[in-house]
mmCIF file of all heavy atoms in Angstrom:
data_model
loop_
_atom_site.group_PDB
_atom_site.id
_atom_site.type_symbol
_atom_site.label_atom_id
_atom_site.label_comp_id
_atom_site.label_asym_id
_atom_site.label_seq_id
_atom_site.Cartn_x
_atom_site.Cartn_y
_atom_site.Cartn_z
ATOM 1 N N PRO A 154 -15.408 220.352 28.258
ATOM 2 C CA PRO A 154 -14.511 220.956 29.413
ATOM 3 C C PRO A 154 -15.316 220.560 30.765
ATOM 4 O O PRO A 154 -14.614 220.222 31.777
ATOM 5 C CB PRO A 154 -14.358 222.369 29.255
ATOM 6 C CG PRO A 154 -14.606 222.426 27.760
ATOM 7 C CD PRO A 154 -15.444 221.424 27.298
ATOM 8 N N SER A 155 -16.713 220.753 30.811
ATOM 9 C CA SER A 155 -17.269 220.514 32.057
ATOM 10 C C SER A 155 -17.297 219.068 32.577
ATOM 11 O O SER A 155 -17.100 218.827 33.658
ATOM 12 C CB SER A 155 -18.823 220.955 31.893
ATOM 13 O OG SER A 155 -19.409 220.362 30.853
ATOM 14 N N THR A 156 -17.362 218.142 31.476
ATOM 15 C CA THR A 156 -17.381 216.763 31.848
ATOM 16 C C THR A 156 -15.970 216.388 32.376
ATOM 17 O O THR A 156 -15.788 215.563 33.374
ATOM 18 C CB THR A 156 -17.744 215.906 30.762
ATOM 19 O OG1 THR A 156 -19.041 216.280 30.199
ATOM 20 C CG2 THR A 156 -17.730 214.463 31.017
ATOM 21 N N LEU A 157 -14.994 216.846 31.685
ATOM 22 C CA LEU A 157 -13.583 216.640 32.094
ATOM 23 C C LEU A 157 -13.328 217.212 33.488
ATOM 24 O O LEU A 157 -12.657 216.512 34.384
ATOM 25 C CB LEU A 157 -12.612 217.190 31.095
ATOM 26 C CG LEU A 157 -11.096 216.991 31.404
ATOM 27 C CD1 LEU A 157 -10.714 215.578 31.471
ATOM 28 C CD2 LEU A 157 -10.267 217.740 30.446
ATOM 29 N N ALA A 158 -13.787 218.359 33.858
ATOM 30 C CA ALA A 158 -13.625 218.921 35.153
ATOM 31 C C ALA A 158 -14.331 217.950 36.191
ATOM 32 O O ALA A 158 -13.679 217.815 37.309
ATOM 33 C CB ALA A 158 -14.175 220.258 35.222
ATOM 34 N N ALA A 159 -15.377 217.598 35.850
ATOM 35 C CA ALA A 159 -16.108 216.762 36.812
ATOM 36 C C ALA A 159 -15.332 215.334 37.087
ATOM 37 O O ALA A 159 -15.292 214.892 38.205
ATOM 38 C CB ALA A 159 -17.558 216.359 36.401
ATOM 39 N N VAL A 160 -14.844 214.808 36.009
ATOM 40 C CA VAL A 160 -14.102 213.598 36.234
ATOM 41 C C VAL A 160 -12.842 213.699 36.994
ATOM 42 O O VAL A 160 -12.445 212.984 37.774
ATOM 43 C CB VAL A 160 -13.796 212.817 34.703
ATOM 44 C CG1 VAL A 160 -12.943 211.836 34.867
ATOM 45 C CG2 VAL A 160 -15.237 212.547 34.084
ATOM 46 N N ASN A 161 -12.134 214.858 36.577
ATOM 47 C CA ASN A 161 -10.860 215.213 37.364
ATOM 48 C C ASN A 161 -11.183 215.375 38.963
ATOM 49 O O ASN A 161 -10.390 215.095 39.744
ATOM 50 C CB ASN A 161 -10.283 216.409 36.902
ATOM 51 C CG ASN A 161 -9.522 216.151 35.454
ATOM 52 O OD1 ASN A 161 -9.033 214.937 35.300
ATOM 53 N ND2 ASN A 161 -9.343 217.104 34.602
ATOM 54 N N ALA A 162 -12.428 215.773 39.068
ATOM 55 C CA ALA A 162 -12.720 216.157 40.573
ATOM 56 C C ALA A 162 -13.163 214.870 41.403
ATOM 57 O O ALA A 162 -13.346 214.897 42.595
ATOM 58 C CB ALA A 162 -13.899 217.126 40.632
ATOM 59 N N HIS A 163 -13.221 213.788 40.706
ATOM 60 C CA HIS A 163 -13.609 212.519 41.186
ATOM 61 C C HIS A 163 -12.621 211.427 40.818
ATOM 62 O O HIS A 163 -12.735 210.530 39.941
ATOM 63 C CB HIS A 163 -15.011 212.107 40.732
ATOM 64 C CG HIS A 163 -16.129 213.020 41.166
ATOM 65 N ND1 HIS A 163 -16.418 214.106 40.568
ATOM 66 C CD2 HIS A 163 -17.048 212.905 42.269
ATOM 67 C CE1 HIS A 163 -17.427 214.778 41.200
ATOM 68 N NE2 HIS A 163 -17.824 214.023 42.180
ATOM 69 N N ASP A 164 -11.486 211.550 41.466
ATOM 70 C CA ASP A 164 -10.397 210.643 41.132
ATOM 71 C C ASP A 164 -10.471 209.376 41.869
ATOM 72 O O ASP A 164 -11.361 209.211 42.836
ATOM 73 C CB ASP A 164 -9.041 211.238 41.239
ATOM 74 C CG ASP A 164 -8.700 211.762 42.761
ATOM 75 O OD1 ASP A 164 -9.475 211.315 43.580
ATOM 76 O OD2 ASP A 164 -7.850 212.612 42.837
ATOM 77 N N GLU A 165 -9.539 208.369 41.756
ATOM 78 C CA GLU A 165 -9.570 207.098 42.478
ATOM 79 C C GLU A 165 -9.391 207.330 43.908
ATOM 80 O O GLU A 165 -9.997 206.584 44.713
ATOM 81 C CB GLU A 165 -8.635 206.202 41.899
ATOM 82 C CG GLU A 165 -9.051 205.669 40.501
ATOM 83 C CD GLU A 165 -7.885 204.770 39.901
ATOM 84 O OE1 GLU A 165 -7.888 203.563 40.391
ATOM 85 O OE2 GLU A 165 -7.389 205.098 38.958
ATOM 86 N N ALA A 166 -8.559 208.087 44.242
ATOM 87 C CA ALA A 166 -8.231 208.414 45.722
ATOM 88 C C ALA A 166 -9.574 208.903 46.418
ATOM 89 O O ALA A 166 -9.778 208.389 47.487
ATOM 90 C CB ALA A 166 -7.140 209.416 45.843
ATOM 91 N N GLN A 167 -10.242 209.808 45.808
ATOM 92 C CA GLN A 167 -11.417 210.290 46.434
ATOM 93 C C GLN A 167 -12.464 209.201 46.600
ATOM 94 O O GLN A 167 -13.160 208.930 47.593
ATOM 95 C CB GLN A 167 -12.067 211.421 45.585
ATOM 96 C CG GLN A 167 -13.203 212.171 46.350
ATOM 97 C CD GLN A 167 -14.378 212.551 45.230
ATOM 98 O OE1 GLN A 167 -14.693 211.711 44.434
ATOM 99 N NE2 GLN A 167 -14.698 213.771 45.387
ATOM 100 N N HIS A 168 -12.610 208.390 45.503
ATOM 101 C CA HIS A 168 -13.678 207.297 45.489
ATOM 102 C C HIS A 168 -13.239 206.296 46.584
ATOM 103 O O HIS A 168 -14.099 205.832 47.251
ATOM 104 C CB HIS A 168 -13.666 206.649 44.033
ATOM 105 C CG HIS A 168 -14.762 205.632 43.898
ATOM 106 N ND1 HIS A 168 -16.041 205.919 43.901
ATOM 107 C CD2 HIS A 168 -14.687 204.235 44.043
ATOM 108 C CE1 HIS A 168 -16.851 204.795 43.737
ATOM 109 N NE2 HIS A 168 -16.008 203.781 43.823
ATOM 110 N N THR A 169 -12.005 205.889 46.626
ATOM 111 C CA THR A 169 -11.487 205.050 47.671
ATOM 112 C C THR A 169 -11.827 205.439 49.045
ATOM 113 O O THR A 169 -12.151 204.730 49.905
ATOM 114 C CB THR A 169 -10.003 204.624 47.362
ATOM 115 O OG1 THR A 169 -9.765 204.128 46.156
ATOM 116 C CG2 THR A 169 -9.488 203.637 48.523
ATOM 117 N N ALA A 170 -11.560 206.685 49.338
ATOM 118 C CA ALA A 170 -11.831 207.310 50.600
ATOM 119 C C ALA A 170 -13.252 207.158 50.988
ATOM 120 O O ALA A 170 -13.673 206.879 52.192
ATOM 121 C CB ALA A 170 -11.420 208.687 50.586
ATOM 122 N N ARG A 171 -14.069 207.309 50.072
ATOM 123 C CA ARG A 171 -15.661 207.244 50.301
ATOM 124 C C ARG A 171 -16.169 205.814 50.214
ATOM 125 O O ARG A 171 -17.164 205.589 50.947
ATOM 126 C CB ARG A 171 -16.242 208.202 49.339
ATOM 127 C CG ARG A 171 -15.897 209.705 49.495
ATOM 128 C CD ARG A 171 -16.567 210.565 48.292
ATOM 129 N NE ARG A 171 -18.017 210.663 48.395
ATOM 130 C CZ ARG A 171 -18.644 211.495 47.611
ATOM 131 N NH1 ARG A 171 -18.027 212.002 46.660
ATOM 132 N NH2 ARG A 171 -20.040 211.414 47.796
ATOM 133 N N CYS A 172 -15.639 204.986 49.287
ATOM 134 C CA CYS A 172 -16.262 203.807 49.085
ATOM 135 C C CYS A 172 -15.330 202.619 49.161
ATOM 136 O O CYS A 172 -15.882 201.322 49.130
ATOM 137 C CB CYS A 172 -16.838 203.869 47.631
ATOM 138 S SG CYS A 172 -18.065 204.984 47.274
ATOM 139 N N GLY A 173 -14.081 202.767 49.387
ATOM 140 C CA GLY A 173 -13.223 201.662 49.494
ATOM 141 C C GLY A 173 -12.571 201.439 48.160
ATOM 142 O O GLY A 173 -13.046 201.955 47.071
ATOM 143 N N ALA A 174 -11.532 200.559 48.081
ATOM 144 C CA ALA A 174 -10.821 200.239 46.837
ATOM 145 C C ALA A 174 -11.835 199.634 45.941
ATOM 146 O O ALA A 174 -12.521 198.791 46.238
ATOM 147 C CB ALA A 174 -9.542 199.445 47.084
ATOM 148 N N ASP A 175 -11.826 200.165 44.622
ATOM 149 C CA ASP A 175 -12.597 199.615 43.552
ATOM 150 C C ASP A 175 -11.874 199.662 42.183
ATOM 151 O O ASP A 175 -11.979 200.754 41.642
ATOM 152 C CB ASP A 175 -13.963 200.236 43.625
ATOM 153 C CG ASP A 175 -14.981 199.578 42.623
ATOM 154 O OD1 ASP A 175 -14.679 198.835 41.847
ATOM 155 O OD2 ASP A 175 -16.179 199.957 42.636
ATOM 156 N N ALA A 176 -11.339 198.607 41.749
ATOM 157 C CA ALA A 176 -10.552 198.697 40.501
ATOM 158 C C ALA A 176 -11.474 199.129 39.382
ATOM 159 O O ALA A 176 -11.048 199.694 38.310
ATOM 160 C CB ALA A 176 -9.894 197.417 40.181
ATOM 161 N N ASN A 177 -12.712 198.692 39.485
ATOM 162 C CA ASN A 177 -13.707 199.043 38.318
ATOM 163 C C ASN A 177 -13.906 200.533 38.044
ATOM 164 O O ASN A 177 -13.923 200.987 37.022
ATOM 165 C CB ASN A 177 -15.098 198.299 38.484
ATOM 166 C CG ASN A 177 -14.987 196.841 38.396
ATOM 167 O OD1 ASN A 177 -14.226 196.425 37.550
ATOM 168 N ND2 ASN A 177 -15.770 196.156 39.057
ATOM 169 N N PHE A 178 -13.856 201.225 39.252
ATOM 170 C CA PHE A 178 -13.905 202.657 39.084
ATOM 171 C C PHE A 178 -12.751 203.253 38.350
ATOM 172 O O PHE A 178 -12.848 204.055 37.485
ATOM 173 C CB PHE A 178 -14.004 203.294 40.436
ATOM 174 C CG PHE A 178 -14.291 204.724 40.505
ATOM 175 C CD1 PHE A 178 -15.638 205.230 40.433
ATOM 176 C CD2 PHE A 178 -13.259 205.705 40.527
ATOM 177 C CE1 PHE A 178 -15.756 206.671 40.370
ATOM 178 C CE2 PHE A 178 -13.458 207.153 40.424
ATOM 179 C CZ PHE A 178 -14.765 207.500 40.449
ATOM 180 N N GLY A 179 -11.569 202.722 38.482
ATOM 181 C CA GLY A 179 -10.371 203.243 37.888
ATOM 182 C C GLY A 179 -10.463 202.951 36.412
ATOM 183 O O GLY A 179 -10.079 203.696 35.649
ATOM 184 N N TRP A 180 -10.868 201.683 36.225
ATOM 185 C CA TRP A 180 -10.959 201.250 34.642
ATOM 186 C C TRP A 180 -11.974 202.234 34.021
ATOM 187 O O TRP A 180 -11.689 202.763 32.817
ATOM 188 C CB TRP A 180 -11.300 199.865 34.498
ATOM 189 C CG TRP A 180 -10.292 198.990 34.816
ATOM 190 C CD1 TRP A 180 -10.342 197.989 35.879
ATOM 191 C CD2 TRP A 180 -8.969 198.922 34.393
ATOM 192 N NE1 TRP A 180 -9.181 197.373 35.934
ATOM 193 C CE2 TRP A 180 -8.311 197.943 34.970
ATOM 194 C CE3 TRP A 180 -8.283 199.498 33.344
ATOM 195 C CZ2 TRP A 180 -6.855 197.514 34.748
ATOM 196 C CZ3 TRP A 180 -6.971 199.157 33.149
ATOM 197 C CH2 TRP A 180 -6.353 198.122 33.753
ATOM 198 N N ALA A 181 -13.059 202.456 34.594
ATOM 199 C CA ALA A 181 -14.203 203.312 34.094
ATOM 200 C C ALA A 181 -13.675 204.702 33.785
ATOM 201 O O ALA A 181 -13.834 205.372 32.765
ATOM 202 C CB ALA A 181 -15.387 203.369 34.845
ATOM 203 N N ARG A 182 -13.002 205.256 34.843
ATOM 204 C CA ARG A 182 -12.510 206.625 34.794
ATOM 205 C C ARG A 182 -11.365 206.786 33.632
ATOM 206 O O ARG A 182 -11.393 207.717 32.941
ATOM 207 C CB ARG A 182 -11.908 207.027 36.149
ATOM 208 C CG ARG A 182 -11.492 208.560 36.182
ATOM 209 C CD ARG A 182 -11.101 208.820 37.628
ATOM 210 N NE ARG A 182 -10.691 210.211 37.684
ATOM 211 C CZ ARG A 182 -9.475 210.748 37.507
ATOM 212 N NH1 ARG A 182 -8.540 209.901 37.091
ATOM 213 N NH2 ARG A 182 -9.249 212.007 37.518
ATOM 214 N N THR A 183 -10.618 205.785 33.561
ATOM 215 C CA THR A 183 -9.531 205.743 32.444
ATOM 216 C C THR A 183 -10.158 205.887 31.159
ATOM 217 O O THR A 183 -9.719 206.654 30.245
ATOM 218 C CB THR A 183 -8.658 204.585 32.637
ATOM 219 O OG1 THR A 183 -8.006 204.591 33.846
ATOM 220 C CG2 THR A 183 -7.563 204.624 31.507
ATOM 221 N N THR A 184 -11.198 205.061 30.920
ATOM 222 C CA THR A 184 -11.963 205.068 29.606
ATOM 223 C C THR A 184 -12.522 206.438 29.423
ATOM 224 O O THR A 184 -12.568 206.993 28.176
ATOM 225 C CB THR A 184 -12.930 204.020 29.597
ATOM 226 O OG1 THR A 184 -12.390 202.650 29.942
ATOM 227 C CG2 THR A 184 -13.596 203.749 28.208
ATOM 228 N N VAL A 185 -13.114 206.960 30.414
ATOM 229 C CA VAL A 185 -13.789 208.284 30.123
ATOM 230 C C VAL A 185 -12.691 209.409 29.774
ATOM 231 O O VAL A 185 -12.935 210.203 28.923
ATOM 232 C CB VAL A 185 -14.583 208.774 31.498
ATOM 233 C CG1 VAL A 185 -14.982 210.234 31.251
ATOM 234 C CG2 VAL A 185 -15.600 207.809 31.710
ATOM 235 N N LEU A 186 -11.610 209.262 30.474
ATOM 236 C CA LEU A 186 -10.429 210.230 30.121
ATOM 237 C C LEU A 186 -9.975 210.009 28.769
ATOM 238 O O LEU A 186 -9.507 210.944 28.099
ATOM 239 C CB LEU A 186 -9.377 210.081 31.100
ATOM 240 C CG LEU A 186 -9.653 210.659 32.533
ATOM 241 C CD1 LEU A 186 -8.523 210.283 33.507
ATOM 242 C CD2 LEU A 186 -9.875 212.061 32.602
#
């Protein structure tokens, strides 16, 4: 549960806002989920 909560708190929109668009982050996050 703690890992899932951390992943949900770091979605693609948040990553894009901080780092710019990065498809690799989305693929990695989807695999973790």
Side-chain angles (χ1 to χ4, degrees):
S155 56
T156 304
L157 177 59
V160 174
N161 284 333
H163 295 78
D164 60 18
E165 290 182 69
Q167 185 219 52
H168 186 78
T169 300
R171 297 172 69 177
C172 301
D175 187 348
N177 287 330
F178 186 87
W180 292 119
R182 186 174 182 274
T183 300
T184 307
V185 176
L186 289 173

